[in-house]
Amino acid sequence: MKTDIILCGVGGMGALSSAAIISKAALEMGLYMKQAETHGMSQRGGDVQSHLRLSDQPIASDLIPEGECDVILSVEPMEALRYVNFLNKKTGWIITNQNPFVNIPNYPDMETIIKEIEKFPNHIIFDADQIAKDVNNPKGTNMVVLGAASKYLKIDLSKLEDAVRQNFSRKGEAIVEANIKALRAGREVADKRL
């Protein structure tokens, strides 16, 4: 078993928190894990991405080779497109929030971005921001996207929930429960997909 994941987005949107949660869950399952992070402009609003490799066998490199990524998990649609050259074009999944974080003056047309993502056979493009608001966790977009991607990560949802508890426990039970609720709401999106 192996799962290669690229988590991407914009600084401050929680992509790296999602990577930490997946990593904790994978380690709890006894999997090997390697991670490489790139922090764009090293500030809120800069592009951020992380290569996360999970396997039941030792992993030689922390970088995912082009064409071998199983899941691109993105909290922002243009960032998902930035890494499609890594995606396994036949079996890989793109899971992305449909709402842009417009942080550059020449941000591409959203219709064009969506059409490009839809060219890949396995994709889920959805309004993760609205789902986060609907479960009273407007800052939980990353947890909603992680929940939708969880179906394709080969990690037990219960292990992800345990990792959320570990990750947010210092912030109190209300924050923990809000993030678990967002995670489950995202999973429902993937479960409803035919």
Side-chain angles (χ1 to χ4, degrees):
M1 169 266 167
K2 98 166 170 60
T3 306
D4 287 337
I5 307 158
I6 292 179
L7 298 99
C8 54
V10 175
M13 296 182 77
L16 299 180
S17 292
S18 294
I21 288 165
I22 294 168
S23 297
K24 286 177 184 176
L27 291 173
E28 281 295 313
M29 290 178 62
L31 298 175
Y32 292 91
M33 185 272 301
K34 286 209 179 209
Q35 181 177 4
E37 294 179 1
T38 302
H39 300 267
M41 297 186 301
S42 296
Q43 65 183 12
R44 181 176 289 280
D47 68 307
V48 174
Q49 60 103 357
S50 176
H51 286 223
L52 184 56
R53 307 190 78 193
L54 312 174
S55 179
D56 57 0
Q57 302 294 316
I59 303 165
S61 171
D62 54 359
L63 295 177
I64 300 168
E66 286 192 17
E68 292 190 22
C69 181
D70 298 299
V71 179
I72 294 175
L73 188 161
S74 181
V75 291
E76 203 282 338
M78 185 183 74
E79 293 302 321
L81 280 181
R82 199 183 292 263
Y83 302 102
V84 294
N85 58 316
F86 287 95
L87 190 68
N88 180 316
K89 304 298 189 268
K90 293 180 183 175
T91 61
W93 280 87
I94 299 173
I95 314 293
T96 186
N97 183 16
Q98 71 185 25
N99 300 307
F101 183 88
V102 181
N103 57 348
I104 54 174
N106 58 343
Y107 192 95
D109 173 65
M110 272 308 300
E111 189 174 320
T112 302
I113 292 172
I114 299 301
K115 283 181 182 176
E116 287 299 312
I117 293 170
E118 288 175 341
K119 288 180 181 178
F120 295 89
N122 302 319
H123 63 271
I124 298 176
I125 307 165
F126 69 113
D127 193 342
D129 292 336
Q130 186 60 54
I131 292 171
K133 289 175 189 168
D134 290 346
V135 298
N136 297 316
N137 186 0
K139 292 182 180 180
T141 299
N142 65 319
M143 290 295 103
V144 174
V145 175
L146 174 56
S150 69
K151 185 171 183 175
Y152 311 101
L153 299 178
K154 301 176 190 162
I155 295 177
D156 300 336
L157 184 60
S158 64
K159 296 293 186 195
L160 288 171
E161 290 177 5
D162 290 345
V164 167
R165 284 184 186 91
Q166 291 174 33
N167 205 57
F168 292 105
S169 64
R170 70 188 182 285
K171 294 185 177 187
E173 191 60 28
I175 299 295
V176 169
E177 290 307 315
N179 281 291
I180 288 174
K181 195 172 185 181
L183 184 77
R184 290 176 181 166
R187 179 58 181 256
E188 287 178 19
V189 170
D191 286 343
K192 289 177 183 172
R193 183 181 164 83
L194 297 177

